[in-house]
Amino acid sequence: MRLIKQNIDRDGSGTVTLFPEEPEDMWHAYNLIRPTDLLRASALRRVTTESATGSTASHRVHTTLVIRVRSIDFDPQAGQLHVSGQIAEENKFTKVGQFHTLDLELQRNFTLEKAEGWDSIALDIVKEAVNPQKAADAVAVVMQEGLANICFITQHQTVLKQRVETSIPRKRQGRAGDHDKGLDKFFQTTLDTLLRQLDLSESKPILLASPGFTAAAFQKYIVDTATSTGNKPLIANKSNFIVVHSSSGHLHSLNEVLKSPEVLVRLKDTKYARETRLIDDFMTLLRKDDGRAWYGPKEVEKAVEKGAVGRGGGVLLISNSLFRAQDVAVRRRWVGLVDKVKDVEGGEVRVLSSEHESGKRLEGLGGVAAILTFPLDDLDESGDEDGIVNGTADREAQNEEV
């Protein structure tokens, strides 16, 4: 994402103009744009005109529209973002109050004005979005014979880029050659598809995961192909291919792959690995039941009020899905909690992506949790809130899960 213009006053009012350059940027836009915001972007709108004789004609026109956002629809696999709302500024093709859905596109500017002002969370999203070092942390090919899922693991989400499916004849006595030919064709198709997605000039781990020996055989095929064709960029990346065991070649097996020790070592400096370690640390403290790990809205807010999530090891873990709440008051609640921990108490704040495994585990705990600097007891004594079972009331069940 490229920052084109930022004009924000001290009171938080103002606009930001951004230029999305790659599909990952649409994820940032999805987290940034909220209902009631004003969004300006190019649009294609159908216009009906009437002639002097009373006949009508319909045609599409390119124009720029400003809408008051009502809903946001994001397709992470396609990287498409559709923002619906009512037109807020009239032009010669539209009137105020009419409805329109803006399709935000790559390589096209959009300008955003926050209805409630630019708070710390929104500004952090912009800062992270325009960070030039936000390319994919790793690539994974989760496979089995005849099936391969090619995924990009970015700082904020895991994106399925392409699925390869081919039919491979079974091994039969006297006809093993048919199986081998089918497997070679599958490997060739998978490698060609992978190379179309990869920029080999950027060195990054490429995980090859499968049950049995399929991934190892694919790695050998890659090396042999690179050597026989003289593909120097592919040869240079030979050490980046890591073979890992998985229970299947289906996409859900990627979670177990990313938890394997050999992968965590290679990804140790990535955002994904840091967040995974934090959740694991939290779960370890939760199992100890010593009052230093609490989860759920009411419990965590109480801990912050008591100054237990501050300097000296306090960590607030919060899902970015909470900041996408439709209710402005709910969003303010969580922004206020983050600001207090970070700016007043001096604690660490980690906003976890709901599209990563660590974020999904956190959402299972109500979307917010905290590691305290000192133990506290009975934060859950007044019962549940928001329909979520919080605190330590269900610790035995948690211990079984973790």
Side-chain angles (χ1 to χ4, degrees), residues 13-32:
S13 62
T15 63
V16 169
T17 301
L18 296 166
F19 182 79
E21 299 175 294
E22 56 188 23
E24 173 81 354
D25 294 337
M26 291 304 180
W27 166 253
H28 291 291
Y30 170 58
N31 285 285
L32 188 61

Side-chain angles (χ1 to χ4, degrees), residues 304-312 339-347:
V304 172
E305 286 297 323
K306 292 177 180 290
V309 193
R311 295 177 181 84
D339 288 345
K340 182 164 186 178
V341 171
K342 189 165 53 176
D343 300 332
V344 179
E345 302 297 334

Side-chain angles (χ1 to χ4, degrees), residues 176-249:
D178 291 344
H179 173 270
D180 293 341
K181 288 180 182 178
L183 190 60
D184 278 349
K185 183 179 179 182
F186 167 61
F187 284 163
Q188 179 184 345
T189 304
T190 303
L191 179 57
D192 291 344
T193 305
L194 178 63
L195 292 179
R196 285 197 298 271
Q197 303 289 342
L198 272 180
D199 181 357
L200 291 176
S201 65
E202 299 177 358
S203 180
K204 66 187 67 174
I206 304 170
L207 314 177
L208 308 178
S210 76
F213 302 101
T214 305
F218 183 48
Q219 182 191 41
K220 183 179 183 303
Y221 178 87
I222 292 171
V223 174
D224 291 347
T225 300
T227 303
S228 63
T229 60
N231 190 327
K232 292 182 179 179
L234 192 56
I235 294 172
N237 278 272
K238 184 169 65 173
S239 62
N240 288 329
F241 289 94
I242 307 165
V243 175
V244 189
H245 178 267
S246 66
S247 58
S248 80

Side-chain angles (χ1 to χ4, degrees), residues 243-289:
V243 175
V244 189
H245 178 267
S246 66
S247 58
S248 80
H250 295 283
L251 192 58
H252 64 78
S253 296
L254 181 60
N255 292 332
E256 66 182 80
V257 170
L258 294 175
K259 291 177 184 177
S260 62
E262 59 265 46
V263 171
L264 288 175
V265 168
R266 292 296 296 267
L267 301 182
K268 64 181 180 180
D269 295 325
T270 66
K271 186 175 186 289
Y272 173 87
R274 290 193 298 269
E275 292 179 354
T276 299
R277 285 196 298 270
L278 275 173
I279 286 290
D280 288 343
D281 291 346
F282 175 83
M283 290 299 187
T284 299
L285 287 172
L286 190 64
R287 285 193 293 269
K288 288 181 179 179
D289 198 15

Side-chain angles (χ1 to χ4, degrees), residues 47-59:
V47 175
T48 301
T49 57
E50 185 175 346
S51 67
T53 61
S55 61
T56 60
S58 179
H59 61 284

Side-chain angles (χ1 to χ4, degrees), residues 35 80 102 140 148 279 299 359 391 397:
Q80 295 177 344
L102 289 172
I279 286 290
E299 285 75 8

Side-chain angles (χ1 to χ4, degrees), residues 4 17-20 40-42 104-105 107-111:
I4 303 300
T17 301
L18 296 166
F19 182 79
R40 178 188 296 271
S42 59
L104 296 192
E105 299 177 353
Q107 312 300 322
R108 287 184 182 270
N109 289 355
F110 69 87
T111 300

